[in-house]
Amino acid sequence: MRKGELESRILILVTLALVAFGIVMVYSATSASAAVGGSNPNYYLERQGIYAALGIALMVIAQRWDYRRLRKLSGTLVLISVASLFAVLVIGPVVNGAQRWISLGPAAFQPSELAKLALVIWAAAYLARHKAPRTLNDLVRPIGALAGLFAALLLLEPDMGTAIAMLVMLCGVLLVAGTPIRVLGSAMMIAGALGTAAIWFEPYRRARFFAFLHPWHDAQGTGFQIVQAMIGMGSGGIFGVGLGQGVQKIFYLPEAPTDMMLANIGEELGLVGVTLVVGSYVLFGWAGFKVALACRDPFGKYLASGITVLVCGQAAINIAAVMSIAPLTGIPLPFLSYGGSSLVVLLAAVGILLNIAHRGTATHTASVSDRSRGDSRTRPASTRDRRRVAREGSGRDVRRVAGSRRGTARS
């Protein structure tokens, strides 16, 4: 089996299995409430199916398109992401008190999803050309400054959960690149202090944080979502109440098909279903990091690590919030939660990861770095180079033999 082929197969199987399972669970979480409300029970199922088909098409394209071309596009992607994050604050509709989407006819696009992928591509390209930051000053310029700009724009939407996921992803890339843990620890302490200030000075964030600490103190108010999630998870038991038989999703559990998808899975499929979901993300992480370790191209190595941390880190944050281990952040569960932007962008990212598994582990290549252009390419040694090396080696052998003969004659 070719090197990296096992990891590629695992990534494909796990991703497609999660997407298919997510479509089933989206239908389960939305059909009953839609039928009770007199709407089309298949509405969310049809839309999620369209998003999945589009995402899989992009995944296939990205799998066949050389990922190294993304290095030249990294700056453009960042500029587009920054512009779209500014645009959403101006023209984006307000939904549930937040401006996170740009309407595109019947669909809506969430710029923050593209921003996460653009940032990891840019960070991988930058770290492939420069040494990893060794001090806080090195980290601030320019990686920290750009990450701070993205985080500030996300907090204005407001979307603190995506900002947290983005910083976790960036820390994963920096750690693989060789940034000392003490530097990352100091940076995370600063980010944590700023995050605490953002929570304290925003009333709804402060209420959500205290609801996480004491959800049962206001079970019908600020703690309602957490309490209902715990009821759903607990009522499922080991094997669950049965697929489609849950009752929490019917006007009890807020955001059941999106942020609280795991609670719906826990109620209907029990501990077994939740364990399989968590195990799938663990398997995805193992395969993704194996691809990163095997990649001989620094850009590919950092990009593979960032994409893996993006998927698994986002899943960990969502699972921790649903299980009341961490405050609610509004982050969807990758590949499972309803949402077109997240599903399409993540599937495209998996396609890039598969391309790295195919091209980044190629053997018999010689790395040729062009520092003046900040580019790095790999190419096989030419026939002319091999002949030149052979001639030089033959010349050295002749001189060595002649010298040995002269030494014998003198003796």
Side-chain angles (χ1 to χ4, degrees):
M1 183 178 293
R2 184 178 58 82
K3 190 174 183 180
E5 188 172 352
L6 175 61
E7 290 80 4
S8 297
R9 291 181 178 180
I10 291 175
L11 289 171
I12 293 173
L13 291 175
V14 170
T15 300
L16 294 182
L18 287 173
V19 171
F21 181 57
I23 293 175
V24 173
M25 293 310 302
V26 164
Y27 178 72
S28 173
T30 58
S31 59
S33 58
V36 171
S39 302
N40 179 13
N42 299 325
Y43 175 77
Y44 292 99
L45 171 66
E46 294 169 356
R47 291 176 68 89
Q48 190 74 352
I50 294 173
Y51 295 144
L54 177 59
I56 291 173
L58 290 177
M59 182 178 74
V60 173
I61 294 173
Q63 183 182 2
R64 298 176 180 274
W65 195 67
D66 192 347
Y67 74 92
R68 288 168 290 192
R69 298 179 183 178
L70 291 172
R71 294 187 63 172
K72 296 180 180 180
L73 299 176
S74 59
T76 303
L77 290 174
V78 166
L79 291 177
I80 293 174
S81 299
V82 172
S84 61
L85 288 175
F86 272 111
V88 77
L89 298 175
V90 178
I91 63 175
V94 178
V95 180
N96 295 330
Q99 287 180 286
R100 302 177 185 176
W101 299 269
I102 296 178
S103 297
L104 300 173
F109 172 67
Q110 191 170 355
S112 59
E113 297 297 333
L114 176 62
K116 289 185 289 188
L117 183 58
L119 181 60
V120 70
I121 292 173
W122 179 87
Y126 178 83
L127 292 170
R129 296 192 305 267
H130 302 83
K131 293 182 179 180
R134 310 296 297 180
T135 64
L136 278 177
N137 289 333
D138 295 338
L139 184 58
V140 170
R141 300 190 303 268
I143 297 177
L146 183 59
L149 175 62
F150 274 78
L153 292 174
L154 290 171
L155 288 176
L156 290 176
E157 292 186 3
D159 191 0
M160 190 172 185
T162 299
I164 293 173
M166 186 177 292
L167 293 179
V168 170
M169 172 198 69
L170 191 58
C171 284
V173 176
L174 288 168
L175 185 63
V176 172
T179 302
I181 296 179
R182 57 178 177 79
V183 175
L184 288 177
S186 301
M188 292 304 293
M189 289 179 62
I190 296 173
L194 295 175
T196 302
I199 292 173
W200 183 258
F201 290 107
E202 184 64 44
Y204 92 93
R205 292 196 189 108
R206 187 168 64 245
R208 180 177 287 184
F209 180 76
F210 285 116
F212 156 69
L213 296 177
H214 305 287
W216 294 95
H217 285 188
D218 189 10
Q220 296 298 320
T222 57
F224 182 78
Q225 191 173 22
I226 300 177
V227 169
Q228 295 302 317
M230 288 192 290
I231 292 174
M233 294 286 287
S235 60
I238 296 179
F239 299 104
V241 298
L243 183 63
Q245 303 301 314
V247 296
Q248 289 296 110
K249 61 192 179 186
I250 309 177
F251 307 122
Y252 287 100
L253 180 62
E255 306 298 336
T258 54
D259 306 347
M260 293 288 120
M261 176 58 78
L262 188 70
N264 187 49
I265 294 173
E267 181 185 10
E268 296 189 354
L269 301 178
L271 179 63
V272 174
V274 173
T275 302
L276 290 175
V277 169
V278 174
S280 298
Y281 289 118
V282 172
L283 190 58
F284 184 98
W286 176 84
F289 283 121
K290 286 283 289 184
V291 170
L293 288 173
C295 184
R296 301 185 179 187
D297 173 28
F299 171 65
K301 183 183 293 292
Y302 304 149
L303 183 55
S305 302
I307 292 174
T308 304
V309 174
L310 174 62
V311 173
C312 297
Q314 187 169 314
I317 294 173
N318 178 276
I319 292 170
V322 173
M323 292 185 172
S324 194
I325 301 174
L328 294 174
T329 56
I331 292 180
L333 195 59
F335 308 121
L336 292 178
S337 295
Y338 174 77
S341 300
S342 175
L343 182 59
V344 170
V345 172
L346 286 179
L347 285 173
V350 172
I352 297 173
L353 187 58
L354 292 172
N355 189 270
I356 296 172
H358 174 66
R359 297 178 184 270
T361 57
T363 58
H364 303 295
T365 58
S367 178
V368 180
S369 299
D370 186 358
R371 295 297 181 184
S372 62
R373 296 177 55 187
D375 195 8
S376 177
R377 300 178 179 87
T378 58
R379 61 175 177 85
S382 64
T383 303
R384 181 181 301 176
D385 293 338
R386 290 195 295 267
R387 290 175 179 173
R388 179 176 55 81
V389 172
R391 287 197 301 269
E392 291 176 354
S394 300
R396 285 193 297 268
D397 293 340
V398 171
R399 289 192 294 271
R400 188 179 302 112
V401 171
S404 63
R405 290 178 177 175
R406 287 195 297 269
T408 303
R410 292 192 189 97
S411 61

